[in-house]
Amino acid sequence: MPSKKILAVDDSISIRKSISFILGQEGYDVTEAEDGADGLKKATSDKYGLIITDINMPNMDGITFIKELRSTAEYKFTPIIVLTTENQDSKMQEGRAAGATGWIVKPFSSEKLLAVVKKIIG
């Protein structure tokens, strides 16, 4: 059974808090990271069953973050959801090429987020 531990990577505090609140109420254990560099540090010091990341962030963007994670044995097959305002096909293709599993466009509803998470890790 996949781990219920989720890493939420977003430079927006309000988005991170929303993800933590919504998923925390459903019993998921959410760790927050403020950008890709912080996310990478946290991902390598613990094991998560799902990663949720933004694309546009300072220090390390989401695409680079996904590529870095996918290059490690621990995260080669871990589901990674991109949660972003980006909805152009080119960005989505870039995300998929990097290794993203799915895509949620902001603003998102708590129902949509929960449905996607439940579908992926139960």
Side-chain angles (χ1 to χ4, degrees):
M1 184 174 157
S3 166
K4 299 268 185 177
K5 289 175 72 152
I6 297 171
L7 179 61
V9 185
D10 200 304
D11 57 325
S12 162
I13 292 172
S14 59
I15 295 287
R16 289 197 312 264
K17 294 295 174 208
S18 299
I19 294 169
S20 289
F21 180 75
I22 294 163
L23 299 179
Q25 283 192 308
E26 294 293 318
Y28 295 99
D29 178 9
V30 181
T31 299
E32 298 177 21
E34 61 195 30
D35 58 40
D38 187 33
L40 201 56
K41 197 165 61 187
K42 289 179 174 161
T44 51
S45 64
D46 206 341
K47 179 69 177 131
Y48 296 92
L50 174 66
I51 311 282
I52 299 172
T53 183
D54 189 12
I55 291 292
N56 301 311
M57 299 180 286
N59 301 319
M60 182 189 289
D61 70 322
I63 300 288
T64 307
F65 171 64
I66 294 168
K67 286 178 181 169
E68 291 285 330
L69 276 183
R70 288 292 187 224
S71 71
T72 68
E74 301 82 46
Y75 290 102
K76 201 176 253 344
F77 302 109
T78 302
I80 300 175
I81 300 297
V82 173
L83 184 65
T84 182
T85 53
E86 295 284 351
N87 63 357
Q88 302 115 319
D89 278 347
S90 60
K91 269 290 179 206
M92 289 183 186
Q93 284 167 353
E94 192 182 352
R96 279 205 192 84
T101 312
W103 204 272
I104 299 174
V105 177
K106 295 176 192 172
F108 62 95
S109 68
S110 51
E111 294 80 18
K112 168 107 174 144
L113 180 62
L114 270 174
V116 169
V117 170
K118 284 181 174 172
K119 184 176 173 188
I120 293 174
I121 62 172

